[in-house]
Each structure stands twice: as structure tokens, then as C-alpha cells.
Amino acid sequence: MKRLIDKKYLVLIIVFIVLPFLVPSSYVRNLLVLAGIFALLALSTDLVLGYIGQLTLGQSAFFGVGAYASAIIAKELGIPFWISIIGAIVIAGVLGYFIGFISLRLRGGYFAITTLAFAQIMKLIANNWIELTRGPMGYTKIPSPSIFGLEIKSEIPYYFLTFIFVVLIIIIIKRLIDSPTGRAYLAIREQEDLARAVGIDVFRHKVQAFVISAMIAGLAGGLYAHYFRFISPDLLGIQYTSMALMMVFVGGRGSIPGVLIGAGIYTVLPETLRMAGTLRMSIFGVILLLCIMFMPGGIYRSIAGWIKRKSKKNGNIVQQTTVS
Amino acid sequence: MALLQVENLTKEFGGLKALNSVCFDVSEGEILGVIGPNGAGKTTCFNLLTGYYLPTAGKVVFKGEEVTNLPDYKRALYGIVRTFQHTNLFPKLTVFDNILIGCQRQHKSTLADALLRRKKFYSDEELLKAEVKRVLAFIGMQEMADMNAENLSYGDQRKLEIAIALAANPEILLLDEPAAGMNPSESAGLLKLIKEIQKLGITTVLVEHDMKLVMNICERIIVLNYGVKIAEGTPYEIRNNPQVVEVYLGKRK
Amino acid sequence: MMDYGAAIGQQLINGVVLGLCYALLAFGLNLIVGILGIMSFAQGEFYMLGGVFTFAFMQYLGLGYVTSILASILIVAFIGALAERFLIKPLAEKDMEITLLGTFAISIILMNLLEYIFGNTPQKIFTPFKTLYNIGPLVINQQRLVIIIAGILLVLLFNFMLKNTKFGISVRATSQNKVAANLVGINVAKTYTLTFGMGCFLAAIAGALMGPLSAVYPSMGQNIGLKGFVVIVLGGMGSLPGAVYGGIILGVIESLGAAFISSEWKDLIGYGAMILILLFKPQGLFGRKGAGV
């Protein structure tokens, strides 16, 4: 058996463990939690965008439904976070199965508008099913998670809670991708006809990836709800889908480090520059556009490629000198 | 019993019969060619065998089991594996990974095995890698294993396509114009490869334009014209069939 | 009983008015889909620009309603043409889905930029067309009448232009066969740019016309962009008459639904119908597959 986590990642993990203690203010620690939650949302989106290559515009539906599900289960039924979050994952997964089963029959642009329509329908429900969601005013006083009787409420404990989930999801996605199932996804993305010709059940795999993606988005939503302890139907809005798309495409779709970098840049950088929310969105829209035009592999691949070329060049120089 | 039986296979497109009540058998281990002038229904016939289209009427029976309405990917699991007329491989992946995806279905471990990284997952991965190496050795592309498929020469790309199909463990291999666009030396290489495949005990059906290839390699040939089977026999018989000469070979002279 | 009939009649009028606005927007969207082959997610934002610019010209420059509309739709058409030429065209040369994402990015940029500039408070456009007319028990205000007349005239005008002018013929030729159009000397790139601009122009008119009846604000395009797709799925992708029928049907259904079922849930009808049609009757309600321009 291989180790759960490779040695080379240990350094990174240590950095992320000490990070919240190094940052100056609770405002920045707050951003770190947010970055973790958005990273989960972006990773979930990338499973559909980057691995089965379908442009989904409905990710906010699962994020929002996960948030509401966990909040409602925990508050109305008085069930602890650890179970309500599982409820959120399951409910988002079931919804993902339903939406995926319908929309994945359609291709390209039709798939995109169908997922968008479903997200709008879910938002409509969140706004108008007032007995359940309390409507546009939002759902408040969501209980914080607790462990051994201690509430996980302030930024640092919640940061670690989120961090553990992010690591766990990264491990799951990595193992999924490096498996026959992940190769089937890749085959579907690259050449659907050929995938079918070698016996891959394309539709089943697409639905599967879509459901896993929905579950991860649901988890992200649940974490969001119990952290802010207030949620509103805006969570199901297209802004969150746009945000996830930006993180994925700017960072680099189909690459875990790329998506994480995307999430980090999106959440932390402009906030520290004190930019207003809407201006940030439009600037990121511009970055997204520039990325898909000039850097289709995303920032991560461009930097990685640049470092590779550079080191190769240096390597060549070394070789030449030894030869001469 | 024949390996594959085609009974009264018919396909209509908006009232036009692209294929009209065609019957033939494919015996185990043979190389069968399907030829005919343009628009004769070759491609339609091919697409019905692979499950790309479903027929208007008729049956396709594989090893005594009806597969007429099975979707394409399920047929592949039964052992009916196809290649494509236009180059179709995974261009951005390495030759090795291309073939690895081909033999994907031989993986018996579950998703849970993969997520928990159980022993079964690792042992199955090793098995697959050995299988890929076997296929690479068979087609003689070992030293290209790490190249991206898009960087191969045209001839090698077409060879890789057949390798992907072979990796899917076919009992019957359906080749759609494998020699299309090949130069004489590439097509000679292809001929050799198909004969090697026969030695593995795999049955081959090829739909082809290249008469020389078909005549040289096929043990039996079926000739289609306007969606109807007009002749069936050995290359010798076909060459001397006056009807075939008239509709097909006659044109070439 | 009489009241009920009058209420239905009133909602029918409102529905047709709303429907004509949908029709203009969707007519433009269908031009883009049919000719460039691009599903534009920015159409709703061009509709929004039409409304917000009209408001801004009236509010900040003191221009009249009609002048403001004319100025804003020309500017929006120009912005659309620029977007096609410098953003969409280079993307479309690469990949269709990336192009779709590109239009999505354009919509994000436009919406958030306008929100940054103007804020997201709904604003009312004051129209000079305020007279009320009584037709039996029904009341119709002048603005609605203007929309009906303008809507019908515009659809007829564009239809005539596509059928009879040189530009229209080159548009139709390009939509049928790009390569052949190029061969007979049609400037395909220019046709694409103009078509996209025209599509945005139509969306902007719809936004400017609807402004006085609802309100204008930068995020108003979000739902309407998707409604545009609902309409063209109802009427058939790429079919221009379909866009008009589809628009009116959606408008009427929504008005009746809002009045007699629930105004909160009315959007559900359109979205639900679109999903069902895509699944079971992808060529749209009016049959013909691949109905041309």
C-alpha cells in the first residue's frame, strides 16, 4: 500500500497548517476559510468541466442546496453538523443525479443552458418555498459545528475543519482521476466516439462524474452555511457559478493544483487589494476572457511550462559545457 | 455456427433504402471484405454492425445471441470492436495511454477499490500495463510508447487505432476503410498487420475501397450495390463475376 | 364572469407586449445562433445595456426618450460588433464551447461593470407615451401600444431586409454555406460582425422599450438572457419566425400564469417547458427540422 499523502506534499501541508497563525488579521483568516470553501466549489466544477469536458452552468444549484440542506437539517431537526453535512452531500448528490440524468442527454450549448435553467429553477424554489427556506430574507442562526463539546466557530478552528475537508477531497479526486474511471472520463473528454467504441458507457460515466461533482459542491455549501451561519437564495445565483468557472479556467482546468491556484487568486488577491465586489467580478471576467484567449491551459500550466523550459535550457547549457 | 450472422438487414433513411435485406455470415477466424462503389451501402452496413445506427428491419446475431439493438459500447463489451474511417485516437495522450484506455474494460476492480487503493486495484493496474506492453510489442511500437499520438506519422496513427481496438479484446474486429489515405508501403504494412491479427484468432471484417488490399487479404468478399448484396465469394470468384465487373470493376477500366 | 373575461383580455394584451419584447431579443439571438452558430450568453446583457443607457441618457444628458433609445441602441450595436470582432471571432476560430464561455465572460463583465458604475438600484424610465386608451372594458397605455407597433414593424423590417437587401442575402448565404459564400465573394467575417451587432441592436431595443414598464438595473439581463433561449427553443433554434411565435407564446403564458397562478412561480413555466422541449422535441414546437432563416 502506498502512503496516504506523498512526502513531497508534506511541506505544503505544513505551510497551510502554520499559515493562519502568520496572517495579521482576523479579516485575512476569514478569507482563508473562504478560499478553502471556494476551492471545494471550484474542484467540484472542474470535475465536470475539466475531466468530462462539459460546460456546466449550474454548479451554484448544488452549492446552494448543500448549504440549505445542512442548515435546515441541523437547525430544524437538531442534528449535529457531522450528520447534517452528510445529509447535504447526499441531497446534493441525488439532485445531481436527477439534473445530470436529464441534461447530460444534451450536448454542448444545450447542456449548458439546461444546467443554467435548472439552477434558476432551484433559486426560484429557494426564494419562494418560504415554509422551508424562509425565502429571500435568508435563513439565520445556523448552528456551528462542535467537537467534544467545543464549538468550531472562530476562524482558526473553522479553517482547520475546512482544510481537512479540502485535503480529503483532493485525495479522493486524485485517486478517482488516476483510476480506470478517471481514464474513462479522459477518454470521453478527448474523443467520445472512440471511448464508446472500446466499450466505455459514456452516459453512465458522465452522470457519475456529475453526481460526484454535485456532492462536493454540496459539501462546500454546507461548510459555507455553518461558517457564516446565515444563508440566502443568492447562494444559488449565477454569481457563484461564474466565480467557480473563473477559478477553474484562470487556474487551469483539468488540473488540481491549477484549480486550487485559481481559487486562491480569486479569493485572496483582490480582497487584499480592497476591491469592491462588483468591480472584482468584472476584472475577473476580463482575466477569464484573456485567459481563454491567450492562455487556454490556465495560469498553472503556463507557469509550469515556463519553469520546465527554463530548467531545460539551463540543463542544456550544463551539458554543453561538460561536452566542450 | 457462424460467428456473426446478418439476416435481412435493412436501413431506411426517409423512405430511401440505404441497405435492403442484406444477408451474410462471418465465420470464425476469417477475413471478410465488404466492397462496393460509392453509395452502395457499405458504410451503412458497417454502422449497423457496430450499433452506430439501429436497423429498420433485420437481425444481427453474434455467437447465437441477438445484438441487433444493442448500443455500440455494449457491443464492444461483447467483443465486437470497430475502428473509424477518419483517424480517431486520443491525440493529446501518449501512445501508451491510448492503448491503456483501449484495454480499460479488462479492469475488474471497482471505483471503491480505486478510492480506497485496495490491493485489487494495484494488481489490476499492473495487469493492464502488462497488457498494454503486449499490444505495443505486437504492433511493434514499443519505442513510441511515450510519444503523443498527434506526433506520430499518418501510417503509425492508423496502426495505433487498430492497436486501441485490439486492446479492447475483440473477437471480431470491424475495420472501416483502414487503408484510406495510405501510401503503398503503409498499405503493405497494414496488410501484414491484418494477417498477424488473424493469427491471434481474431475475425476481421473490413469495409474498403482499396481493391488491391481487399483482393490480397480477404478470404471472402461481399459486394454491395445500391444497398443490395449482388455477389459473395472468394476473390477469384468475385473477380470473375460478370455482374461485379460491370458495376464495380468495369468502372475502373 | 365579465370581469374574469376582461382580466384575461388585459393579461393577453400585457402578454403580447412582453412577448414582443422577448421576440425582438430572441430574433436577435436566433440571428446569432443561426448565422454565427454561437449560443450567446451575453444577449441578456445587451438587453440590459439598451435599458440602462436609455435611462442614463435621459437622466444625465437630459435627452428625450426617443432620442435616448436611438442613441443607446446604436451604441449597443457598436459595442456588440466590437465584441464580435475582437473577442468572439478569435475564440470561435479555436473552439465552440470556449466561445460560449467567452460570451458568458462578456456578460459577467458588462453586468458587473455597469453595477459598479450605476449601482444596482432599479430605476424607472419616464416615457412620454402616457395616454391611456379604453377599448371596451380593456385599458391599454400608450407605451404598450408603442411596443406593439414598434415590435411588429421591426420584425417586418428585419424580415424584409433579410429577404431583399444585398446584406440580407449575404447573411442568408453565409448561414447556409460559409465556404460557398466566401467563394462567391461575400465577406464572411464582415457579415458575422454585422449580424452580431444587429442581434445586440434588437436586444437593446427590447430593453429600452420595456424599461418604462418594468425597471432598469444592471442585473436585469440575467433572467432575460436565459428567457431568450427558452423562446428560441420553443420556436426552434435558428428559426426567425419561430422566435416571434415563441416570444409571444412565452409572454402570454407568463402574463396569464402570473395573474392567475402565481407571479413568483411564473418563470418556472418557461424553464420547465424549455427543458422538456429540448428532451422530447428538440426541433421546437413548430416542427420543421433546421428551419432556415
Side-chain angles (χ1 to χ4, degrees):
Chain A
M1 288 295 280
K2 278 190 188 169
R3 234 182 268 232
L4 190 66
I5 292 165
D6 212 303
K7 248 187 199 161
K8 60 184 173 186
Y9 297 122
L10 272 178
V11 181
L12 267 178
I13 287 181
I14 291 167
V15 168
F16 279 108
I17 287 175
V18 295
L19 192 61
F21 300 104
L22 300 178
V23 295
S25 68
S26 78
Y27 174 72
V28 181
R29 283 195 288 275
N30 181 46
L31 285 184
L32 288 177
V33 178
L34 213 55
I37 293 171
F38 288 160
L40 287 173
L41 181 62
L43 284 169
S44 81
T45 311
D46 190 42
L47 211 50
V48 178
L49 276 177
Y51 294 102
I52 57 168
Q54 303 290 314
L55 184 56
T56 174
L57 298 180
Q59 208 63 13
S60 65
F62 307 117
F63 184 64
V65 165
Y68 272 100
S70 191
I72 292 170
I73 293 172
K75 192 177 168 188
E76 306 295 331
L77 306 178
I79 285 172
F81 165 82
W82 308 101
I83 297 171
S84 73
I85 194 83
I86 290 170
I89 294 170
V90 171
I91 290 171
V94 171
L95 183 71
Y97 183 78
F98 175 75
I99 294 179
F101 191 80
I102 291 174
S103 50
L104 285 164
R105 292 173 188 279
L106 304 165
R107 286 170 177 273
Y110 295 98
F111 171 78
I113 54 174
T114 310
T115 49
L116 181 57
F118 271 118
Q120 295 292 73
I121 290 173
M122 295 312 296
K123 189 179 174 190
L124 211 67
I125 293 174
N127 262 318
N128 295 307
W129 189 357
I130 294 178
E131 300 81 38
L132 187 72
T133 64
R134 301 187 196 160
M137 300 308 290
Y139 195 85
T140 52
K141 292 183 186 150
I142 300 162
S144 296
S146 63
I147 186 166
F148 310 125
L150 293 170
E151 272 205 328
I152 304 177
K153 201 170 179 179
S154 62
E155 293 103 16
I156 290 186
Y158 213 93
Y159 170 84
F160 285 109
L161 175 72
T162 312
F163 180 65
I164 288 166
F165 276 115
V166 173
V167 172
L168 194 71
I169 292 299
I170 290 173
I171 293 171
I172 289 175
I173 292 180
K174 212 165 156 32
R175 288 181 167 188
L176 178 70
I177 296 315
D178 296 332
S179 82
T181 310
R183 286 197 295 269
Y185 294 170
L186 202 65
I188 291 167
R189 184 188 77 191
E190 294 291 316
Q191 213 78 57
E192 217 179 289
D193 283 345
L194 186 54
R196 213 174 263 128
V198 297
I200 294 170
D201 185 345
V202 169
F203 183 68
R204 193 179 66 86
H205 278 94
K206 280 184 180 172
V207 172
Q208 184 190 56
F210 198 82
V211 169
I212 297 172
S213 157
M215 290 165 87
I216 298 171
L219 166 68
L223 284 171
Y224 183 97
H226 292 275
Y227 181 60
F228 288 100
R229 306 180 59 217
F230 165 80
I231 51 177
S232 76
D234 281 348
L235 281 190
L236 294 106
I238 198 162
Q239 310 81 280
Y240 286 91
T241 299
S242 319
M243 191 183 78
L245 286 177
M246 289 175 190
M247 292 171 182
V248 169
F249 276 93
V250 172
R253 70 170 153 165
S255 126
I256 295 173
V259 172
L260 294 175
I261 290 171
I265 295 177
Y266 180 85
T267 324
V268 177
L269 193 70
E271 288 277 359
T272 50
L273 297 175
R274 308 270 164 183
M275 250 176 231
T278 53
L279 186 62
R280 174 174 48 148
M281 281 295 271
S282 47
I283 288 174
F284 259 86
V286 174
I287 296 177
L288 172 64
L289 208 50
L290 292 176
C291 263
I292 59 178
M293 287 176 89
F294 302 112
M295 219 190 259
I299 286 176
Y300 172 69
R301 284 200 187 83
S302 296
I303 294 175
W306 182 73
I307 290 173
K308 214 174 182 179
R309 275 196 302 279
K310 189 130 199 204
S311 63
K312 218 182 213 169
K313 223 176 182 177
N314 290 342
N316 284 344
I317 292 166
V318 172
Q319 262 182 357
Q320 275 170 5
T321 47
T322 47
V323 166
S324 62
Chain B
M1 192 184 59
L3 183 68
L4 188 80
Q5 293 161 282
V6 173
E7 295 169 19
N8 296 318
L9 207 57
T10 303
K11 178 72 186 175
E12 287 180 17
F13 291 106
L16 269 169
K17 280 190 174 152
L19 205 65
N20 193 355
S21 240
V22 168
C23 302
F24 61 88
D25 284 353
V26 186
S27 327
E28 200 162 342
E30 75 170 332
I31 301 176
L32 176 78
V34 178
I35 60 170
N38 276 331
K42 293 183 311 255
T43 303
T44 307
C45 179
F46 191 86
N47 284 331
L48 290 171
L49 294 184
T50 59
Y52 190 77
Y53 297 147
L54 296 181
T56 315
K59 268 204 257 183
V60 180
V61 179
F62 179 65
K63 295 207 303 194
E65 215 175 314
E66 190 173 336
V67 296
T68 318
N69 292 313
L70 277 188
D72 44 4
Y73 74 90
K74 274 196 184 146
R75 287 187 209 212
L77 303 182
Y78 271 66
I80 307 174
V81 181
R82 70 171 296 183
T83 62
F84 292 81
Q85 193 170 346
H86 301 289
T87 313
N88 198 343
L89 31 73
F90 303 109
K92 299 219 161 28
L93 307 185
T94 62
V95 169
F96 190 93
D97 287 345
N98 266 274
I99 298 173
L100 189 60
I101 289 172
C103 55
Q104 172 87 347
R105 298 300 315 179
Q106 297 175 37
H107 212 290
K108 293 289 177 281
S109 66
T110 61
L111 183 55
D113 291 334
L115 292 182
L116 298 171
R117 287 294 191 255
R118 292 198 184 118
K119 275 210 176 82
K120 183 147 177 27
F121 168 78
Y122 289 109
S123 63
D124 264 19
E125 288 286 283
E126 288 310 312
L127 275 178
L128 281 202
K129 280 179 187 151
E131 177 71 14
V132 174
K133 283 185 186 141
R134 210 176 55 79
V135 174
L136 276 172
F138 176 76
I139 55 159
M141 289 176 83
Q142 296 105 313
E143 64 284 8
M144 300 172 208
D146 295 327
M147 273 172 79
N148 273 6
E150 60 190 348
N151 297 332
L152 295 177
S153 71
Y154 181 74
D156 282 339
Q157 286 191 354
R158 305 243 48 171
K159 222 156 112 185
L160 177 58
E161 291 181 77
I162 295 178
I164 296 170
L166 282 178
N169 206 7
E171 286 188 49
I172 185 163
L173 190 60
L174 306 171
L175 304 176
D176 194 359
E177 301 203 12
M182 281 191 173
N183 63 33
S185 86
E186 284 168 340
S187 127
L190 177 70
L191 192 138
K192 227 177 100 196
L193 180 62
I194 295 175
K195 287 211 161 135
E196 289 291 322
I197 291 171
Q198 188 180 27
K199 284 185 199 152
L200 297 174
I202 296 169
T203 311
T204 303
V205 174
L206 66 154
V207 166
E208 187 49 76
H209 252 347
D210 184 339
M211 287 306 291
K212 205 173 144 213
L213 182 82
V214 175
M215 290 295 171
N216 276 333
I217 201 175
C218 295
E219 288 146 1
R220 241 159 25 94
I221 295 172
I222 283 166
V223 187
L224 297 177
N225 192 29
Y226 290 115
V228 182
K229 184 175 90 176
I230 58 165
E232 177 175 354
T234 62
Y236 179 80
E237 287 164 353
I238 295 297
R239 208 174 278 136
N240 296 306
N241 182 319
Q243 212 185 340
V244 175
V245 172
E246 192 192 317
V247 306
Y248 197 108
L249 300 177
K251 259 189 203 164
R252 310 184 91 229
K253 280 174 188 166
Chain C
M1 207 55 218
M2 190 58 211
D3 281 356
Y4 210 63
I8 290 179
Q10 195 66 52
Q11 290 308 326
L12 276 176
I13 292 177
N14 295 352
V16 169
V17 170
L18 179 65
L20 275 167
C21 285
Y22 286 155
L24 288 177
L25 174 108
F27 197 94
L29 185 57
N30 241 345
L31 275 176
I32 296 170
V33 171
I35 288 144
L36 282 79
I38 292 166
M39 292 170 82
S40 171
F41 280 91
Q43 190 73 352
E45 272 57 45
F46 289 109
Y47 170 91
M48 174 275 289
L49 286 184
V52 171
F53 282 176
T54 303
F55 168 78
F57 287 141
M58 293 172 72
Q59 179 82 4
Y60 301 115
L61 302 180
L63 300 178
Y65 180 54
V66 177
T67 326
S68 299
I69 291 185
L70 289 176
S72 58
I73 55 181
L74 287 176
I75 292 173
V76 173
F78 185 65
I79 295 174
L82 284 182
E84 197 284 333
R85 177 67 186 75
F86 294 105
L87 303 173
I88 292 170
K89 184 169 172 253
L91 286 175
E93 282 160 8
K94 285 183 199 159
D95 178 82
M96 224 54 245
E97 275 190 20
I98 289 296
T99 316
L100 219 143
L101 185 73
T103 63
F104 193 73
I106 293 172
S107 95
I108 296 172
I109 296 168
L110 289 176
M111 184 182 91
N112 289 290
L113 194 64
L114 271 276
E115 192 172 327
Y116 182 69
I117 300 169
F118 292 103
N120 206 23
T121 328
Q123 307 278 5
K124 200 96 187 161
I125 292 179
F126 293 98
T127 168
F129 306 115
K130 281 184 287 210
T131 323
L132 293 177
Y133 301 105
N134 290 307
I135 312 166
L138 306 179
V139 184
I140 181 166
N141 73 23
Q142 206 179 4
Q143 176 71 20
R144 288 206 158 87
L145 209 59
V146 166
I147 294 178
I148 292 177
I149 293 166
I152 293 171
L153 282 180
L154 280 164
V155 168
L156 291 178
L157 180 75
F158 270 80
N159 216 18
F160 177 82
M161 196 180 74
L162 285 172
K163 291 235 159 77
N164 299 298
T165 63
K166 200 177 156 211
F167 171 69
I169 289 162
S170 61
V171 164
R172 287 189 297 142
T174 310
S175 82
Q176 276 170 15
N177 190 334
K178 192 170 131 186
V179 180
N182 213 345
L183 282 177
V184 297
I186 291 169
N187 186 339
V188 172
K190 196 173 129 198
T191 308
Y192 278 7
T193 306
L194 289 175
T195 306
F196 197 88
M198 213 156 73
C200 299
F201 176 89
L202 284 164
I205 294 182
L209 288 174
M210 265 319 264
L213 295 180
S214 50
V216 296
Y217 49 97
S219 59
M220 73 195 249
Q222 273 194 8
N223 269 326
I224 222 90
L226 188 56
K227 293 271 177 69
F229 284 110
V230 173
V231 169
I232 62 176
V233 166
L234 284 173
M237 279 269 172
S239 150
L240 293 181
V244 178
Y245 306 139
I248 294 175
I249 289 174
L250 183 67
V252 168
I253 289 177
E254 280 189 359
S255 291
L256 292 177
F260 299 107
I261 303 170
S262 144
S263 63
E264 287 83 23
W265 296 99
K266 70 171 168 33
D267 287 353
L268 204 62
I269 309 169
Y271 299 149
M274 177 177 81
I275 293 167
L276 290 176
I277 290 172
L278 276 177
L279 280 178
F280 298 111
K281 207 169 182 308
Q283 67 273 32
L285 284 181
F286 305 105
R288 290 185 308 158
K289 220 172 182 175
V293 177

